[in-house]
Amino acid sequence: MKAKIIHILCEGQTEQGFVEEVLRPYLQDNGVTGIKSILITTNKKKNARGGMLTYKHAETDINLLRQTKQDNDYESHLFTTMFDLYSLPNDFPGFAKASTIHDPYVRVKALEKSFSDAVGEKRFLPYLQLHEFEALLFCGINHLSKLYPGCEKGCEKLIKELQKVGNPELIDNGPTTAPSKRIIKAIEGNKKYKYNKPTTGKSVTKQIGIEELRTKCPHFNEWINKLLVFCDY
């Protein structure tokens, strides 16, 4: 049986921490042989990684993976991404056209389709998080309040905000109202804590669990389903 290896290009340290500590064990339990996270390269000369300022950063790393990881009799490779829809660079494939689409689910799928077409690799599975990684934390705000004692009132407000939209992926991408901005306000509002994004991201999602994230986040669930299909073929 061939080894199944998934390479996940991550936008930042928060996504990479989630892949390494939360997603990896789940996929391995479901038949994936190897999961490799790669932090996007933003400046090769300075060895700077994390944060996608232009589409070229993603394109360069994906092309490198395609060229260096070839399928053979012993292993099959799949390349995917974990990028935020929020603050996506405007030179991203299909960005202008997708910006005119009101429904966030239709918009993100249009962008992923354009991304896939631009890469032109059958082993490539693009994924954009609606609207950013921190939406996943809204699946278990109670875990967030336990991590930051004294911020319960702020977290209760987050729960009410979630109830207004229905599911975490529908929380908007405004510069002051995106999921991460809301969480930072709730945690840092009483000036007791400085929000630690990477540590909080993997800690809270680990407590929530992948199955709960899949139940509450439809687009995320579609991505996980496709990763699991790769394990089965």
Side-chain angles (χ1 to χ4, degrees):
M1 182 179 293
K2 280 189 176 184
K4 304 296 178 64
I5 303 170
I6 297 175
H7 307 264
I8 305 179
L9 184 61
C10 301
E11 183 174 345
Q13 294 180 346
T14 304
E15 290 83 2
Q16 188 174 42
F18 169 77
V19 169
E20 291 291 330
E21 298 193 26
V22 186
L23 186 57
R24 180 201 294 272
Y26 180 83
L27 292 177
Q28 287 180 330
D29 287 345
N30 283 278
V32 179
T33 310
I35 298 91
K36 301 182 183 298
S37 66
I38 307 98
L39 198 57
I40 196 168
T41 306
T42 50
N43 190 317
K44 190 174 182 180
K45 290 183 179 180
K46 296 181 180 180
N47 195 31
R49 293 180 176 273
M52 181 170 51
L53 304 178
T54 73
Y55 171 67
K56 191 69 177 177
H57 293 147
E59 183 182 45
T60 299
D61 282 344
I62 292 168
N63 285 337
L64 180 62
L65 285 171
R66 292 171 59 194
Q67 294 163 9
T68 57
K69 305 297 180 183
Q70 298 296 324
D71 291 0
N72 54 46
D73 292 339
Y74 305 102
E75 57 188 33
S76 296
H77 297 268
L78 180 71
F79 313 115
T80 188
T81 58
M82 197 170 193
F83 300 158
D84 290 341
L85 177 61
Y86 175 61
S87 290
L88 201 66
N90 59 16
D91 64 341
F92 200 85
F95 184 88
K97 184 177 181 180
S99 297
T100 66
I101 301 173
H102 178 70
D103 187 311
Y105 284 105
V106 177
R107 187 190 318 138
V108 76
K109 288 181 180 180
L111 282 164
E112 289 173 346
K113 176 63 165 57
S114 296
F115 192 9
S116 179
D117 291 344
V119 171
E121 165 67 70
K122 65 180 182 180
R123 300 177 299 166
F124 178 58
L125 172 64
Y127 176 66
L128 301 176
Q129 177 69 46
L130 264 171
H131 282 91
E132 61 175 339
F133 175 84
E134 281 73 19
L136 299 177
L137 305 191
F138 275 80
C139 294
I141 295 298
N142 57 315
H143 299 296
L144 188 66
S145 61
K146 292 175 184 176
L147 196 60
Y148 294 94
C151 297
E152 289 80 6
K153 286 187 177 180
C155 290
E156 287 174 7
K157 185 177 179 181
L158 294 179
I159 292 173
K160 291 179 181 178
E161 291 170 354
L162 173 60
Q163 291 171 343
K164 292 179 182 178
V165 297
N167 82 59
E169 291 179 336
L170 293 178
I171 295 173
D172 65 48
N173 62 343
T176 61
T177 56
S180 64
K181 306 302 182 184
R182 295 173 188 258
I183 290 173
I184 289 171
K185 184 178 180 180
I187 299 303
E188 298 186 357
N190 61 9
K191 304 186 185 302
K192 183 179 180 180
Y193 297 104
K194 185 71 176 176
Y195 179 64
N196 187 315
K197 181 171 173 156
T199 298
T200 302
K202 59 189 177 185
S203 174
V204 172
T205 52
K206 186 182 294 185
Q207 293 178 74
I208 296 169
I210 295 293
E211 290 297 345
E212 185 71 7
L213 296 176
R214 294 181 65 184
T215 298
K216 294 183 177 179
C217 298
H219 189 59
F220 175 81
N221 181 51
E222 287 181 5
W223 181 49
I224 299 300
N225 276 333
K226 290 174 182 177
L227 296 180
L228 295 177
V229 167
F230 168 70
C231 307
D232 294 334
Y233 82 83

